[in-house]
Amino acid sequence: MTRADAAPNWSFRADEAARSVTRLFGQRLFFLPGTHIGAILRPSGRLKNLSRPWHYWWQAHYLDCLVDAGRRELGSPGHPGAKFDGENRPSAGRLASRLVTGIRLRNFLTVVNDYYDDMAWLALATLRLDRLAEDSRKRTGRERNAKVLQSLALQFDAASTDDLGGGTFWSKKRDFKNTPATAPVALYYARTGNGAKAQALLEWLDARLYAPEQGLYRDGLRISGTGEAVLEETIYTYNQGPVLGALLELGGEANLERAAALVDAVARSLTQPAPLLGRSAAVLRCEGTGDGGLFTGILVRYLALAALNEGLPAETRATATTLVNDTAQALWEGRRILPAHDRLARGGSHLVFSNRTELPARRSYPEGAAVELSTQLQAWMILEAAASIAQAHAP
């Protein structure tokens, strides 16, 4: 086998992304020991970053990425694990635990906020963190995790009502029920043994927000001033991800058929050519910066679960695998290696990833440009997804 033909070492690449993101954006919250938080923008000073608007849900996905790295640190039979950032630095699991503490403190001593989708993402990530702690035989933080999950579950119960026939409200204004809140709440219910609640939410999504001509889920239903339901028809990449995850988690013939159809629809409608790969391929489109900088990463996380689900047809699993791996490869090919003099390299970070799969980072983030946490988490998340597939197939 030639070097060009060798399979990519996705675990190595995911570690590279993990090191770059944690070293560039990770910091203590107000210099408090035992805390961790992700800065929103670099280059920027610590205190300046803490004065920026609070992006609760970015931190939730930062937590999810750390859990991904923590799972790889556990290793697998025949493949011993190792800390992603060396033996002299905290493990991913330790940083993740500190991050939960940091989120709670930064959110004014609570994990409750005004947006149910934000809280759903944190609940999903905290649930995964707790299972990582269980598998690692670590007891630290588990009592706190249980309290976080109990508090958030009460919020989901209050937000999932019969208004508009079902679904979950997006915010405490209670004037919008949408896929971004309903789908991750359904996934949380599915993962915590509340299958009936999860299924009811999925059925509502299918009845009210599914676009059959595209095979994808639209954004939501807004309650107008006159009490009428107004359809928000925009289709976002990330909304498809947690729907797919909930369908896979619940299983059963009907759900798996819908999951397979959703993977096919994603491949058909949410991809674009991949000039960075130098071959005929389609990669998932990205949706910009800011909050949109996370959207495609979220979809890829759940496509990786589809790639490994034996209940799906082999062709569907192959499609999901190709989407994950080609999208990850495009971001890897487009990475920018930071020179030592670059301000972004001061903390030990040495890679910046593009916020677009069709452009290299030297164009989307040229030297001197400010880099947002969301877009770098997205690239890390996608590389972790590819690593999870490779690890599952490792001999």
Side-chain angles (χ1 to χ4, degrees), residues 197-266:
K197 288 183 178 181
Q199 192 68 55
L201 292 176
L202 286 176
E203 296 302 332
W204 181 84
L205 286 168
D206 211 49
R208 302 302 301 268
L209 295 180
Y210 183 68
E213 67 280 3
Q214 294 169 287
L216 299 169
Y217 291 85
R218 294 169 290 206
D219 195 46
L221 288 173
R222 194 174 300 278
I223 302 173
S224 71
T226 60
E228 295 177 309
V230 179
L231 177 64
E232 297 284 350
E233 297 195 33
T234 309
I235 290 175
Y236 295 108
T237 51
Y238 83 128
N239 281 342
Q240 319 313 313
V243 175
L244 178 60
L247 290 167
L248 295 172
E249 190 70 32
L250 287 172
E253 183 177 355
N255 285 331
L256 293 178
E257 284 180 0
R258 289 160 68 184
L262 185 53
V263 171
D264 291 341
V266 165

Side-chain angles (χ1 to χ4, degrees), residues 151-393:
S151 176
L152 294 177
L154 292 173
Q155 297 296 313
F156 307 148
D157 290 344
S160 301
T161 70
D162 292 333
D163 301 88
L164 300 180
T168 304
F169 281 114
W170 178 54
S171 76
K172 300 241 173 130
K173 289 184 179 179
R174 303 175 81 83
D175 60 356
F176 189 33
K177 284 193 166 180
N178 63 2
T179 307
T182 304
V185 168
L187 178 55
Y188 180 78
Y189 280 145
R191 288 182 173 175
T192 53
N194 292 298
K197 288 183 178 181
Q199 192 68 55
L201 292 176
L202 286 176
E203 296 302 332
W204 181 84
L205 286 168
D206 211 49
R208 302 302 301 268
L209 295 180
Y210 183 68
E213 67 280 3
Q214 294 169 287
L216 299 169
Y217 291 85
R218 294 169 290 206
D219 195 46
L221 288 173
R222 194 174 300 278
I223 302 173
S224 71
T226 60
E228 295 177 309
V230 179
L231 177 64
E232 297 284 350
E233 297 195 33
T234 309
I235 290 175
Y236 295 108
T237 51
Y238 83 128
N239 281 342
Q240 319 313 313
V243 175
L244 178 60
L247 290 167
L248 295 172
E249 190 70 32
L250 287 172
E253 183 177 355
N255 285 331
L256 293 178
E257 284 180 0
R258 289 160 68 184
L262 185 53
V263 171
D264 291 341
V266 165
R268 186 171 59 249
S269 300
L270 300 180
T271 55
Q272 61 188 12
L276 295 179
L277 297 186
R279 55 182 169 85
S280 176
V283 294
L284 291 162
R285 75 185 195 204
C286 291
E287 301 207 44
T289 57
D291 285 346
L294 278 166
F295 285 7
T296 300
I298 293 167
L299 172 56
V300 170
R301 171 180 297 285
Y302 297 102
L303 283 171
L305 296 182
L308 298 174
N309 191 298
E310 295 293 333
L312 296 178
E315 184 178 353
T316 300
R317 299 199 305 272
T319 297
T321 299
T322 299
L323 287 171
V324 172
N325 287 345
D326 283 355
T327 302
Q329 185 69 23
L331 287 169
W332 182 258
E333 292 293 339
R335 72 196 186 281
R336 180 164 72 87
I337 299 174
L338 298 174
H341 67 268
D342 195 302
R343 287 181 65 192
L344 297 176
R346 290 181 181 176
S349 178
H350 65 283
L351 295 179
V352 166
F353 295 95
S354 181
N355 56 37
R356 298 169 64 180
T357 46
E358 76 277 16
L359 285 182
R362 62 181 171 78
R363 290 181 59 188
S364 63
Y365 283 129
E367 187 168 346
V371 178
E372 285 183 299
L373 172 65
S374 59
T375 62
Q376 302 308 290
L377 287 175
Q378 173 170 266
W380 177 12
M381 199 181 310
I382 291 170
L383 291 167
E384 289 285 1
S388 70
I389 296 173
Q391 186 174 45
H393 291 152

